[in-house]
């Protein structure tokens, strides 16, 4: 399953989202969801403890001026890679 998070972690129930995930799932942070990957944040700790692959859209990080503040443990991707993720994970859920 591919989960996409487009809202700030302060505006969603990130722990609830992560309880739904299983090993082999992926989470893509996009739009304001990239805030969940800020280095040193509580939301990042939650993400890194989940058994999932973590991705973030580079364009959304750049648009918010966050590349220098983002965790290197999350894979940065472009829109082409986003398409590849959607092909790999036929089931998807947006948060």
């Amino acid at each position: 399953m591919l989960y996409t998070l487009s809202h700030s972690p302060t505006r969603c129930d990130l722990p609830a989202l992560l309880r739904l995930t299983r090993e082999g799932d992926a989470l893509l942070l996009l739009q304001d969801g990239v805030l969940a990957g800020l280095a040193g944040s509580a939301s990042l700790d939650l993400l890194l403890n989940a058994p999932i692959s973590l991705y973030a859209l580079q364009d959304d990080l750049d648009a918010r001026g966050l590349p220098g503040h983002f965790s290197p443990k999350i894979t940065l991707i472009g829109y082409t890679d986003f398409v590849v993720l959607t092909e790999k994970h036929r089931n998807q859920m947006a948060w």
Side-chain angles (χ1 to χ4, degrees):
M1 171 90 64
L2 173 62
Y3 295 88
T4 56
L5 177 62
S6 60
H7 300 284
S8 166
T10 62
R11 295 215 170 263
C12 71
D13 190 348
L14 186 58
L17 182 159
L18 294 174
R19 281 193 300 272
L20 296 173
T21 63
R22 301 289 175 255
E23 190 170 335
D25 289 345
L27 173 62
L28 173 63
L29 307 175
L30 59 136
Q31 299 173 358
D32 284 343
V34 298
L35 298 173
L38 291 176
S41 68
S43 56
L44 177 63
D45 291 339
L46 290 173
L47 293 176
L48 295 178
N49 286 316
I52 57 176
S53 300
L54 300 169
Y55 303 92
L57 277 178
Q58 179 74 57
D59 286 353
D60 289 332
L61 279 178
D62 293 342
R64 287 156 182 79
L66 298 175
H69 306 282
F70 201 73
S71 172
K73 295 180 180 180
I74 297 176
T75 303
L76 300 178
I77 63 171
Y79 287 102
T80 302
D81 296 316
F82 184 6
V83 172
V84 171
L85 278 177
T86 62
E87 290 173 342
K88 179 180 177 186
H89 299 276
R90 297 291 179 179
N91 295 320
Q92 301 167 26
M93 184 178 289
W95 279 70

